[in-house]
Amino acid sequence: MSDFDVVVVGAGPAGSAAAIELARAGRSVCLLERGPSPGSKNMYGGVVYGRILDTLVPAWWEQVPVQRWVTRRSTMLIHDEQALTVDFRNPGWGAAPFNGATTFRPDFDAWLAGVAVDAGAVLVCSTTATGLIREGGRVVGVRTDRPDGDLRAPVVIACDGVNSFLAKEAGMYPHTGAENFTVGVKETIALPREVIDERFAVRGDEGVDIEILGCTGDVPGGGFVYTNATSVAVGLVLSLPALAAGPDRPEELLRRLKAHPAVAPLVEGGEVLEYSAHVIPEAGYRMMPELVGDGILVAGDAAAMCLAAGIWLEGVNFAIGSGAAAGRAATRALARGDASAAGLAAYREMLESGFVLADHRRLRDAPHLVMGDLAQRGLPAVACGVMEDLFTVRNPEPKQGVRRIVRNRMRRNGIRVRDAVREGLRAVRTFG
Amino acid sequence: MSASSYPEISFEARMATVEFRIDEDRAHITVDDTICRDCSTRGCITACPANLFVPTAAGGILFNYEQCFECGTCYLVCNREGAITWTYPEGGHGVVFHRS
């Protein structure tokens, strides 16, 4: 006897998207959340790209709780005290249908879970799924920490986040080595709206997202600064094995980023409102678990669907895309009365024919490239050095040619042309 | 890199910005530091963003679960089987983010 048609574990973006699809198809769905409210366990590195919501929640931008709309996207390379920034502004992103938004995850996740509840899903908060219920190798529900808390359903959708204990218990997750993960740490710093507008040169509800390379010392990773309405967020993403090797702790590396001459003027002076941390499934496609089992689907961060591809850093959109596909695949399987892995197989096909697995497969080498020594050390050092040589006027010396400047800077940083060309070609193959 | 022109927040003040609904009855993570004694890596000490793993003079590890982000860093970097037993806190307990 089943309690629901589907139990969705985790009311983050993946789980709520799954629940929305199921509830709208008339299925009974329980949306389990271990936090006191959706999003209370979540933090992120800053931007929700809402295009995937167009079909799920038409005109979502009229109701989504937004801090600012990103109209300015910068990529900064830091080397010592120097910084080279590529700064793109597009006021068009500040009007419907918009592109990216900054938001607090407790607000955004609670909003999306509310859409699922409005569609008929049963949201149960403050309840941790402690394990799977299995019969004959088939998942038929989850155990929870509530008294008499077993929840039985022919389909379980595991959207239980990066640690994904349900997928691990189901034997679907073999790639759990620390090298596949990073940890994100972040400070949210209060600043008056006018101060933010002035420092970041924006107006109204326009916002800025700055991604930074070369700011993590000896630990491969990256940094970010972005604007909320009346706060800025500054944070780091750090490779776990290198962080574990020491000696620098996350908050020390964050202190150095905040003190950098290119960052300090943006973030200084405000009170820290909240410090937060979360693990990220950095390796993407190459670490993904099996997505479909007998009676179980895995979506969102639980399926390593966060995209950490250097110039593209996305996650919430992949969670929504995968969760919605899981909901549709489960609906189809239930209609046919076959919740086996074969009956649920449409999930993987939907992801492969859409952006979720298409992007992840294409960019499967990107996380490795971005975390490699050339991108982490070589690129910021050479780029900043070349800028210094280009723009330092050394009269009476005549100007040097650009090629010579680049060659000199590469040599000074111990980068061989052969290695740079090889990595460059890999980058072209990956991003091209 | 240059020194910051404003006072840096202390670690205690940093952690005081985070809400933790502590479960007084159960530690969701336990550390068997008899296993940690002969661990030479001890990645948990530098990697835990909440700085919950403290080496003791006796060569063990002192661990407190109360201000835990539930991120998973410690068990992911731990290379000693059985040293860290990791579960989520009971529903409704543990870290509660508001502005992240």
Side-chain angles (χ1 to χ4, degrees):
Chain A
M1 186 62 203
S2 291
D3 301 293
F4 293 92
D5 290 330
V6 179
V7 174
V8 178
V9 180
S16 290
I20 289 169
E21 292 282 10
L22 285 155
R24 285 185 183 160
R27 291 293 167 181
S28 67
V29 49
C30 177
L31 183 57
L32 264 189
E33 168 56 44
R34 67 187 185 88
S37 60
S40 57
K41 301 289 182 182
N42 292 345
M43 62 81 85
Y44 74 145
V47 182
V48 172
Y49 295 96
R51 196 76 306 113
I52 186 64
L53 282 169
D54 286 351
T55 48
L56 219 53
V57 188
W60 50 272
W61 53 83
E62 290 171 5
Q63 43 171 304
V64 71
V66 160
Q67 290 289 321
R68 288 181 188 249
W69 298 103
V70 175
T71 58
R72 189 176 165 201
R73 175 73 152 79
S74 302
T75 302
M76 185 187 286
L77 301 177
I78 282 181
H79 176 66
D80 292 337
E81 288 201 320
Q82 302 176 337
L84 166 65
T85 306
V86 178
D87 181 22
F88 179 65
R89 283 172 176 271
N90 182 16
W93 287 339
F98 300 100
N99 181 47
T102 60
T103 171
F104 294 143
R105 290 292 300 281
D107 296 345
F108 179 85
D109 292 10
W111 166 75
L112 197 60
V115 175
V117 169
D118 289 345
V122 177
L123 173 66
V124 180
C125 291
S126 297
T127 304
T128 303
T130 52
L132 296 168
I133 305 172
R134 286 196 273 190
E135 277 171 11
R138 196 185 177 111
V139 174
V140 294
V142 296
R143 301 196 191 286
T144 76
D145 59 359
R146 292 278 187 104
D148 303 314
D150 286 5
L151 286 169
R152 299 178 76 90
V155 181
V156 170
I157 304 182
C159 306
D160 52 336
V162 59
N163 288 301
S164 200
F165 292 117
L166 296 185
K168 285 174 189 168
E169 187 185 338
M172 297 163 79
Y173 212 145
H175 312 292
T176 53
E179 66 281 2
N180 291 325
F181 296 89
T182 52
V183 63
V185 293
K186 179 171 92 171
E187 285 178 15
T188 307
I189 301 169
L191 285 171
R193 180 181 276 278
E194 319 78 69
V195 172
I196 294 172
D197 288 353
E198 210 163 289
R199 288 184 184 184
F200 291 86
V202 287
R203 298 284 177 271
D205 54 9
E206 293 175 340
V208 181
D209 172 33
I210 307 172
E211 307 290 347
I212 308 168
L213 204 57
C215 61
T216 49
D218 291 331
V219 180
F224 56 84
V225 176
Y226 63 84
T227 57
N228 297 312
T230 57
S231 60
V232 298
V234 54
L236 293 173
V237 170
L238 302 163
S239 156
L240 282 194
L243 190 62
D248 292 320
R249 289 192 35 79
E251 70 277 4
E252 167 57 21
L253 294 167
L254 186 54
R255 186 195 64 75
R256 286 183 211 160
L257 174 64
K258 286 171 66 185
H260 190 273
V263 176
L266 301 176
V267 303
E268 67 189 357
E271 176 201 357
V272 176
L273 292 174
E274 192 164 78
Y275 183 54
S276 54
H278 212 280
V279 163
I280 302 162
E282 187 81 12
Y285 193 76
R286 295 210 184 276
M287 70 181 292
M288 276 185 192
E290 286 173 46
L291 303 175
V292 181
D294 286 319
I296 183 168
L297 299 173
V298 188
D301 266 10
M305 280 167 185
C306 197
L307 184 73
I311 56 172
W312 295 298
L313 298 160
E314 303 168 22
V316 172
N317 50 337
F318 282 87
I320 294 170
S322 60
R328 292 196 300 275
T331 302
R332 215 185 273 184
L334 289 164
R336 290 187 192 145
D338 179 10
S340 69
L344 290 165
Y347 174 49
R348 192 171 178 104
E349 290 154 23
M350 288 177 197
L351 296 183
E352 279 174 347
S353 62
F355 75 101
V356 174
L357 283 184
D359 286 352
H360 265 291
R361 188 185 298 112
R362 163 182 289 192
L363 294 165
R364 61 191 179 276
D365 289 330
H368 191 70
L369 267 173
V370 173
M371 292 302 225
D373 210 44
L374 200 64
Q376 289 287 320
R377 289 172 191 278
L379 180 65
V382 171
C384 288
V386 166
M387 289 299 131
E388 184 184 350
D389 290 346
L390 270 180
F391 297 126
T392 304
V393 176
R394 293 195 169 88
N395 298 154
E397 273 180 49
K399 293 194 190 306
Q400 295 182 322
V402 175
R403 263 191 304 186
R404 184 160 162 208
I405 289 174
V406 173
R407 239 189 349 252
N408 280 343
R409 281 292 172 175
M410 283 178 62
R411 193 178 311 130
R412 277 173 65 175
N413 285 286
I415 297 167
R416 292 185 305 184
V417 175
R418 193 171 18 158
D419 296 336
V421 168
R422 198 189 53 227
E423 288 281 284
L425 285 174
R426 280 180 66 194
V428 167
R429 259 200 315 274
T430 298
F431 294 103
Chain B
M1 293 186 192
S2 75
S4 169
S5 61
Y6 58 99
E8 185 47 47
I9 184 171
S10 74
F11 196 78
E12 291 67 31
R14 173 190 298 282
M15 294 307 291
T17 65
V18 192
E19 184 190 351
F20 295 98
R21 298 188 186 174
I22 297 164
D23 185 342
E24 308 285 353
D25 300 329
R26 189 182 80 99
H28 64 284
I29 298 171
T30 54
V31 176
D32 179 356
D33 81 339
T34 58
I35 298 173
C36 307
R37 273 166 212 277
D38 59 341
C39 171
S40 55
T41 16
R42 301 185 158 202
C44 53
I45 296 172
T46 49
C48 169
N51 202 11
L52 298 180
F53 294 80
V54 179
T56 65
I61 296 268
L62 191 66
F63 172 78
N64 184 340
Y65 70 96
E66 291 183 357
Q67 292 196 315
C68 171
F69 286 121
E70 302 153 36
C71 69
T73 296
C74 58
Y75 82 84
L76 285 166
V77 301
C78 180
N79 48 23
R80 291 297 162 118
E81 187 90 22
I84 298 177
T85 306
W86 210 101
T87 62
Y88 284 127
E90 219 165 275
H93 290 93
V95 70
V96 179
F97 292 129
H98 296 277
R99 299 184 184 93
S100 297

